[in-house]
Amino acid sequence: MSETTVGAETKAFQPRIVAFFCNWCTYTAADLAGTARMTHAPNARVIRLMCSGRLDPQFVVSALSRGADGVLIGGCHPGDCHYQEGNYKALRRVVLLKRLLATLGIEGERVRLEWISASEGDRVQRVMNEMAEDLRRLGPLRLSEPPALFHALAAHAADGADAPVAAVTEAAS
Ligand code: FES
């Protein structure tokens, strides 16, 4: 493939982002960004969860294995979760999941967790643009055949901080 063709492909690459947003904060902020006509990269498909704590790591794995190049998770700021500790659970799960994905060679930038309150439409705009740019730089994930351990690892990550991190990481190697 010529350099020109490679360059053109890179330029044309539009990453696919699946965004899981908490109903009470980030989803509302995304709505606000829309009604305020704040333009941002049109790369994300948003899925509404009642709380970021509802995020099962399998959702992320499923999105990545079905063609997403990155997954964005948005939740209420620490202390503001409508279900008390859902966002802390989300944080623990995402940290663990990223460590597991790293063992499979999947870059950490492909999964991003952000705290965005209902009034921060501008932050939704900035984060979406940044993530699209990061993924453009990384290129397509092309994870058509997820490793066999992929789903098993996500199941472990669902247990959050209680998961036996060392054992799971060892299993992936
Ligand atoms: S309700 Fe928004 S993160 Fe829990």
Side-chain angles (χ1 to χ4, degrees):
M1 196 178 289
S2 74
E3 259 183 43
T4 317
T5 313
V6 172
E9 255 193 19
T10 306
K11 199 173 178 185
F13 171 57
Q14 285 298 335
R16 280 177 288 199
I17 300 171
V18 173
F20 294 99
F21 286 169
C22 154
N23 176 66
W24 302 104
C25 46
T26 316
Y27 190 85
T28 307
D31 215 19
L32 177 66
T35 51
R37 297 183 183 275
M38 296 178 192
T39 52
H40 55 72
N43 303 66
R45 294 293 172 271
V46 177
I47 296 172
R48 177 166 48 171
L49 302 176
M50 287 309 287
C51 172
S52 64
R54 175 65 184 88
L55 182 88
D56 186 320
Q58 290 276 8
F59 297 170
V60 178
V61 167
S62 236
L64 294 177
S65 62
R66 291 175 191 212
D69 299 296
V71 173
L72 173 63
I73 301 127
C76 303
H77 284 272
D80 288 346
C81 174
H82 289 229
Y83 305 97
Q84 308 293 324
E85 298 182 345
N87 47 5
Y88 294 120
K89 287 181 181 167
L91 176 60
R92 288 197 294 267
R93 288 172 184 158
V94 168
V95 166
L96 182 57
L97 182 63
K98 285 173 78 150
R99 288 173 63 182
L100 299 175
L101 293 177
T103 67
L104 300 172
I106 297 172
E107 302 89 346
E109 296 103 306
R110 292 191 186 275
V111 178
R112 181 167 173 168
L113 173 64
E114 288 285 338
W115 308 134
I116 303 176
S117 74
S119 62
E120 296 179 303
D122 56 331
R123 193 165 159 78
V124 170
Q125 179 189 40
R126 183 173 60 75
V127 167
M128 291 262 204
N129 287 340
E130 280 178 6
M131 190 160 187
E133 198 46 51
D134 287 346
L135 293 174
R136 260 184 222 110
R137 184 174 40 78
L138 290 174
L141 178 58
R142 293 207 175 103
L143 194 71
S144 53
E145 288 296 328
L149 274 172
F150 206 50
H151 290 279
L153 291 176
H156 281 279
D159 294 334
D162 299 325
V165 180
V168 176
T169 307
E170 192 180 310
S173 59

